[in-house]
Amino acid sequence: MSKPDELLVDLAAMVESGHSNQMSLTVIAGGSVITGRLAPEAVWRQRVSEILKDSDRLREFAGVFTSSERKEGPPTHLHFHVARILQGSIGIPETGGMYRVSIEDVSGWTVGDFSYSEN
């Protein structure tokens, strides 16, 4: 979208202000369908940092996700956790992943997460 959808920005702002991770959302961005729950950016960053700290190969990158000050103004990104990229009839990864999507890149969205088949 050339101009971010104001309703989507408002949803992201509510997630940020309430520090809730229960808002399910499905978006289309860059031709991909991503479905999952939104998390506040601070919570998302903390979880990504924890995952990286547990990795022998990626531990050194954990600090990138812990050193961020909250920027003023409306949210510019959606932070998904327990999320999947839908590809055909399957969701990748099966266990859910952590995705950061620019609100400007979202071309369509709906509240709720889409079901998918694991078979």
Side-chain angles (χ1 to χ4, degrees):
M1 293 183 167
S2 58
K3 182 180 178 204
D5 184 317
E6 291 177 21
L7 189 54
L8 187 56
V9 172
D10 289 347
L11 275 174
M14 286 190 72
V15 169
E16 286 295 324
S17 68
H19 298 286
S20 170
N21 62 0
Q22 298 304 307
M23 181 64 193
S24 294
L25 194 71
T26 299
V27 300
I28 301 168
S32 296
V33 177
I34 301 170
T35 190
R37 289 196 316 238
L38 293 179
E41 182 175 1
V43 172
W44 183 87
R45 283 177 173 270
Q46 178 182 357
R47 183 65 185 125
V48 171
S49 177
E50 290 168 359
I51 291 168
L52 293 174
K53 283 179 187 175
D54 289 343
S55 169
D56 291 335
R57 293 186 348 250
L58 302 174
R59 184 174 294 128
E60 65 188 274
F61 295 100
V64 171
F65 292 91
T66 58
S67 61
S68 175
E69 296 177 17
R70 175 73 178 118
K71 296 177 182 168
E72 294 299 318
T76 58
H77 290 79
L78 301 171
H79 296 87
F80 285 91
H81 72 117
V82 193
R84 293 170 181 84
I85 296 174
L86 299 182
Q87 196 71 355
S89 62
I90 62 169
I92 305 168
E94 289 180 16
T95 58
M98 310 284 287
Y99 300 103
R100 176 178 160 108
V101 177
S102 173
I103 293 174
E104 286 186 352
D105 293 339
V106 174
S107 60
W109 61 277
T110 187
V111 172
D113 52 358
F114 282 133
S115 297
Y116 64 94
S117 171
E118 294 183 7
N119 297 344

